[in-house]
Amino acid sequence: MHHARLTPFPQGFLWGAASAAYQVEGAHDADGKGPSVWDVFTHLPGKTFQGSNGDVAVDHYHRMEEDVALMKEMGLTAYRFSVSWPRIFPTGRGEANEAGMAFYERLIDALIAAGIEPVLTLYHWDLPQALQEEYGGWEDRRIIADFEHYCVALFQRFAGKVKYWVSLNEQNYNTTNAYQLGTHPPAVQDRKRFFTANHHAFLANATVIAAFRKHVPNGLIGPSFAYSPAYPASSAPADMLAFENAEEFTNWWWLDTYCFGRYPQAALAWLQKTGEAPDIQPGDVAILQAGLPDFVGVNYYYTTTFTDNPRDGATMQRINTTGQKGTTPSSGVPGLYRTTPNPHLPTSNWDWAIDPTGLRIALRRLASRYDLPLMVTENGLGEFDKLEAGDKVHDDYRIDYLRAHLQACQEAMSDGVQLLGYCPWSFTDILSWLNGYQKRYGFVYINRDETDAKDLRRIRKDSFFWYQTVIASNGQKL
Ligand code: BG6
């Protein structure tokens, strides 16, 4: 579809940016915070790029006022951040730690005072280590009640101040790394355990959405999903079937369960045959159906192209965490699908396909299938940046990426998609979980590297000034 005129961005469109607690806060043991699984995991030898960790991160915990002042200067109308569960409940449950609550209250108040709508993510992977040790975290049903207890504490405290809430961030990406690739804690490689942990996360997600209705009746809540739309490598029927398999197993498995309250049929049938299906107990489907979201948060970075995979074919592989282009191997599930490079698309140094049209396709597929409003809760380009004389960072490649993806949002809105806002990843540079500090995403450069926290100086990149103009014109000057 080539529209003659694009629908303008609506008044009240949320012009945001995003972050996550572990990736920015630092202050890993301040004010009564307990350890998360990431605090422990990043200190194990060989788990992250050059042993990088979030002990200090970009020290947002101590520089919050300065960071919010920069957001205000840039003109943001929304800011997506996550709350660290072990800051609120150091051992996962029990009495809330007031100092942890108070930090987020100060942040939320500062945002509101700056005219910025807070978008609060309840869970961005930093599970209290105590719950991992006590019962294996997401592998045990006890996680559902503990997660609800934690979320309800936040609902009660912030219901009057926060309208937009994200339940789970990228359950799909996090659990794939945690239980298939073994690259996120608890570093397991077992598909049966993967589907079990996911089933509990679905139940926890629906349970807190049901609780949200009671505590935050005027708010909106939904999960953020890492949506990489599947493409077929060719029109050969075997590739088309691989593409259907991939879309169902890597996307609809999560999204259908969130939005319809049931698993997609072909994938479930396959897993029941292989013995990997989750144990769906009586009452589980009712729980899923009582906690459907108000919107879907879309984290979009790239599309993935799939081809046929024989029964003795490629298995899951480690991802590129070095920025050495061209080092990502083909990865898949034998008998279902495997990835293959898309010759039509350029890639970043981390081999992520750059595909703005893929974002338009993503938004349309989700809007048509689920008939829900959408919010882009992440989108961005992780690249090496160069700090030049006079504190300049000329990240024109990032501007090009974001501009093209905002155009895709506008095209999707012209196609009828209801889009609440756009929160690119990330506001400042952050710790990339496995890729250290050298894979930068921010509008604001942070002067630090993997091993040296330096002075943590904040430096406005060229993209900062570009986005400022975009926001000031409500998207008319892209
Ligand atoms: C998403 C996460 O996977 O993408 C973020 O929600 C993450 O936390 C971002 O940083 C970019 O991924 P990466 O691996 O490049 O840091």
Side-chain angles (χ1 to χ4, degrees):
M1 259 182 255
H2 302 278
H3 295 286
R5 257 187 81 244
L6 292 179
T7 305
F9 287 93
Q11 288 307 317
F13 185 79
L14 296 174
W15 295 101
S19 73
Y22 186 69
Q23 298 180 272
V24 296
E25 286 177 0
H28 69 105
D29 60 357
D31 299 334
K33 177 180 170 294
S36 78
V37 291
W38 279 93
D39 287 313
V40 175
F41 183 73
T42 56
H43 283 271
L44 302 175
K47 297 296 185 191
T48 62
F49 181 72
Q50 292 187 2
S52 49
N53 65 60
D55 288 3
V56 174
V58 305
D59 201 28
H60 172 69
Y61 191 80
H62 296 116
R63 294 165 197 243
M64 182 272 284
E65 281 84 5
E66 181 187 354
D67 290 344
V68 174
L70 281 165
M71 292 175 204
K72 185 177 180 189
E73 180 186 328
M74 193 161 72
L76 286 189
T77 61
Y79 174 57
R80 172 177 179 242
F81 62 95
S82 79
V83 173
S84 161
W85 183 348
R87 254 190 222 295
I88 308 297
F89 292 103
T91 57
R93 69 163 85 84
E95 287 292 302
N97 170 32
E98 175 52 32
M101 279 285 192
F103 168 71
Y104 294 107
E105 183 131 63
R106 285 204 315 279
L107 168 62
I108 290 165
D109 288 345
L111 292 170
I112 293 170
I116 301 168
E117 187 81 50
V119 179
L120 189 158
T121 302
L122 292 160
Y123 184 75
H124 202 125
W125 311 350
D126 44 358
L127 180 75
Q129 174 71 14
L131 301 185
Q132 187 64 45
E133 286 174 14
E134 186 181 331
Y135 53 69
W138 293 103
E139 290 186 70
D140 190 286
R141 281 186 178 244
R142 278 174 277 180
I143 193 77
I144 301 165
D146 286 337
F147 186 59
E148 184 184 16
H149 178 69
Y150 155 66
C151 292
V152 166
L154 295 178
F155 296 159
Q156 288 175 331
R157 181 78 171 234
F158 299 127
K161 296 182 175 179
V162 179
K163 180 174 175 196
Y164 296 96
W165 300 70
V166 172
S167 47
L168 299 178
N169 177 72
E170 294 194 359
Q171 180 190 330
N172 60 326
Y173 188 74
N174 179 222
T175 57
T176 300
N177 276 275
Y179 296 97
Q180 289 206 56
L181 295 162
T183 44
H184 286 186
V188 169
Q189 290 176 283
D190 182 321
R191 277 170 58 85
K192 177 79 188 168
R193 290 170 67 182
F194 166 77
F195 286 107
T196 298
N198 272 289
H199 188 61
H200 299 151
F202 288 129
L203 293 169
N205 182 72
T207 300
V208 301
I209 291 179
F212 183 81
R213 305 275 172 245
K214 286 185 223 130
H215 295 282
V216 198
N218 300 322
L220 297 172
I221 190 166
S224 279
F225 184 73
Y227 187 30
S228 175
Y231 284 0
S234 78
S235 53
D239 283 347
M240 288 303 297
L241 193 59
F243 144 76
E244 294 282 354
N245 291 339
E247 195 73 334
E248 181 146 336
F249 274 93
T250 68
N251 293 320
W252 306 149
W253 185 261
W254 284 269
L255 289 162
D256 283 6
T257 311
Y258 293 139
C259 300
F260 296 147
R262 56 144 180 83
Y263 288 115
Q265 168 262 318
L268 187 59
W270 170 279
L271 296 174
Q272 280 164 344
K273 287 209 181 71
T274 61
E276 295 162 333
D279 172 23
I280 304 173
Q281 294 187 4
D284 284 0
V285 172
I287 293 172
L288 296 176
Q289 295 192 342
L292 306 180
D294 299 303
F295 68 91
V296 178
V298 182
N299 292 2
Y300 175 80
Y301 291 91
Y302 49 78
T303 49
T304 309
T305 302
F306 293 94
T307 188
D308 186 33
N309 195 11
R311 291 194 64 87
D312 58 354
T315 54
M316 298 297 283
Q317 298 286 339
R318 210 187 150 91
I319 57 167
N320 174 350
T321 56
T322 60
Q324 280 176 287
K325 205 168 180 165
T327 58
T328 308
S330 174
S331 164
V333 179
L336 292 175
Y337 54 78
R338 72 174 174 86
T339 61
T340 184
N342 185 332
H344 304 286
L345 297 174
T347 56
S348 75
N349 278 312
W350 277 260
D351 299 323
W352 292 15
I354 298 175
D355 183 9
T357 303
L359 176 55
R360 180 180 179 183
I361 291 169
L363 297 173
R364 281 175 44 165
R365 278 190 195 166
L366 301 186
S368 307
R369 191 171 177 101
Y370 303 113
D371 195 20
L372 286 172
L374 307 174
M375 188 191 299
V376 174
T377 40
E378 288 183 30
N379 171 235
L381 180 65
E383 266 305 335
F384 299 111
D385 287 341
K386 193 158 169 257
L387 181 59
E388 300 197 34
D391 271 0
K392 301 280 183 218
V393 179
H394 299 302
D395 58 342
D396 45 301
Y397 38 89
R398 183 168 294 108
I399 295 172
D400 291 345
Y401 180 99
L402 294 171
R403 180 191 292 119
H405 286 76
L406 268 172
Q407 275 161 354
C409 289
Q410 209 176 350
E411 282 162 349
M413 290 191 302
S414 306
D415 299 335
V417 169
Q418 192 192 339
L419 190 62
L420 300 170
Y422 179 72
C423 297
W425 187 261
S426 49
F427 180 64
T428 60
D429 288 340
I430 44 92
L431 168 68
S432 172
W433 306 92
L434 302 180
N435 308 278
Y437 291 92
Q438 65 165 7
K439 190 180 187 189
R440 294 177 183 271
Y441 282 92
F443 293 107
V444 176
Y445 184 95
I446 304 288
N447 190 39
R448 71 153 299 160
D449 63 23
E450 276 62 32
T451 50
D452 185 355
K454 299 190 190 170
D455 62 6
L456 294 159
R457 193 160 83 250
R458 274 70 176 137
I459 297 155
R460 299 162 185 80
K461 302 183 192 176
D462 286 357
S463 57
F464 179 100
F465 299 105
W466 167 79
Y467 198 41
Q468 190 177 46
T469 308
V470 171
I471 298 172
S473 70
N474 202 39
Q476 283 185 19
K477 281 191 207 144
L478 285 185

